[in-house]
Amino acid sequence: MNPAPHLALIGAGIAGLSCATMLQQARLEVSLFDKARSPGGRMSTRRGDDWQCDHGAQYLTARHAEFRAEVARWQQAGVADLWEPRLWRFDGDSREHRESTVERFVGIPAMTAPARYLASTLSVQALANIQQIRRQAHGWQVCSAEYGGLETRLSAVLLAVPAPQVAPLFKQLAPELVALAGRAVMRGSWALMLRFAAPVDLTFDAAFVNQGPLRWIARNSSKPGRNGEESWLLHARPEWSGAHLEDDPERVAAALLDAFGQLGGLAPQDWTAHRWRYADTEPPLDEGCAWRPDIGLGLCGDWLNGGKVEGAWLSGRALAEQVLRSFVEC
């Protein structure tokens, strides 16, 4: 009997985890690599002494039937739940409370929880920065900066990484996939995590902001399952972030805290800034995924499928389906 195909999947965000899970369930061998310490990608949470704050994706929505079923599975496993914040919108001089008609879900006890849940059944090599993919006589090999040559004789290599990171890996191997990634314009964003010794007395838990440098404010402590000190998250607008992406964190924090103060916020006991170089795509592509069955290279990610967590999960599934179809037909 021929051994099951062995694939490498680079990127352990939701797209990569979704893809790897489906492939493994079909009895393919999957080695998953990520340069971060833990899976999740932009479903990230920063932790400290008695505090935590989600500083990437703030929540997720579930409209597609398959993804709704997946979120329900996460809820049953205790790693996600519904978040019903008091929601406001700030638009110039206009301030209004908004009755939410959208269900918003968050990971429990942090946004990283669903990713960790998915990764628990997978083979994930953390802190592995894959820098080269080599084509050999009997398949592909991936090489990392930390460990040199890793897996060999791979049947396929799949990328679940931000669009700008496709070219360095696929540049001589799949020019059309590099060109596809080049169509995606990914934008940066500054995130500022605030800590307070006592609850902040504001009439909202989250707000969309259409003025100044801010686009989103959230009382992280209002999300279910959170504990520790009061924490808030400020996300800067992509346009403002793009203009200040190389600024010092202190300068960024001063601008965002000033904007927060104009909306009634207080000065925190402490803050931590994080710069996301690839926060979102404007506009996101609608390709779903991309797969070259003739050479065994593929792409998935939210930037290929409308953005957002749901788009990432569906993109990973779509790529897995195409890969499985190719190997079954073979």
Side-chain angles (χ1 to χ4, degrees), residues 37-314:
R37 292 182 177 276
S38 58
R42 281 167 285 163
M43 286 185 66
S44 298
T45 303
R46 186 70 61 87
R47 294 175 175 84
D49 293 335
D50 199 34
W51 70 273
Q52 67 174 44
C53 190
D54 303 324
H55 61 293
Q58 292 295 288
Y59 58 85
L60 57 93
T61 56
R63 296 177 172 85
H64 191 281
E66 282 189 86
F67 190 58
R68 288 191 67 85
E70 179 69 2
V71 173
R73 190 170 74 93
W74 295 349
Q75 288 181 277
Q76 188 174 14
V79 296
D81 204 354
L82 191 65
W83 178 40
E84 299 178 292
R86 297 172 297 168
L87 187 63
W88 281 60
R89 175 181 291 275
F90 295 95
D91 194 350
D93 294 331
S94 173
R95 303 185 179 198
E96 61 174 341
H97 175 259
R98 299 196 67 188
E99 292 294 336
S100 178
T101 58
V102 176
E103 287 187 325
R104 293 176 171 85
F105 299 91
V106 297
I108 291 190
M111 281 302 290
T112 54
R116 292 177 181 271
Y117 174 68
L118 292 176
S120 65
T121 62
L122 300 171
S123 172
V124 182
Q125 173 67 64
L127 297 174
N129 184 12
I130 303 300
Q131 292 190 323
Q132 188 179 21
I133 299 169
R134 297 172 180 166
R135 190 164 195 176
Q136 299 181 325
H138 301 290
W140 296 101
Q141 180 185 32
V142 295
C143 306
S144 80
E146 299 80 5
Y147 309 108
L150 294 170
E151 301 291 355
T152 60
R153 302 175 69 92
L154 294 162
S155 303
V157 178
L158 313 176
L159 300 188
V161 299
Q165 295 176 359
V166 172
L169 293 173
F170 278 4
K171 55 186 174 183
Q172 302 299 329
L173 307 174
E176 69 287 352
L177 296 184
V178 173
L180 174 63
R183 289 167 44 199
V185 180
M186 298 203 74
R187 307 183 297 179
S189 178
W190 277 101
L192 193 67
M193 296 155 268
L194 314 181
R195 278 104 69 194
F196 298 89
V200 177
D201 186 18
L202 290 175
T203 57
F204 59 88
D205 299 313
F208 295 104
V209 185
N210 295 316
Q211 62 188 63
L214 293 172
R215 73 167 176 176
W216 171 258
I217 300 171
R219 188 195 307 261
N220 194 78
S221 305
S222 71
K223 297 177 180 179
R226 272 56 177 177
N227 52 39
E229 294 181 348
E230 172 105 348
S231 62
W232 286 70
L233 187 281
L234 311 182
H235 266 165
R237 289 191 301 112
E239 299 83 2
W240 188 91
S241 294
H244 298 273
L245 205 58
E246 304 303 329
D247 284 6
D248 292 333
E250 290 75 13
R251 183 177 178 184
V252 170
L256 299 187
L257 288 173
D258 180 66
F260 184 49
Q262 293 178 33
L263 301 178
L266 304 176
Q269 262 70 33
D270 204 355
W271 56 264
T272 301
H274 181 87
R275 175 176 55 195
W276 293 102
R277 286 198 177 275
Y278 309 121
D280 67 4
T281 311
E282 185 58 38
L285 306 184
D286 59 2
E287 302 289 332
C289 66
W291 169 236
R292 281 283 308 274
D294 54 324
I295 56 175
L297 297 178
L299 301 173
C300 63
D302 63 343
W303 59 271
L304 277 161
N305 197 42
K308 312 300 182 186
V309 175
E310 181 171 23
W313 188 88
L314 291 169

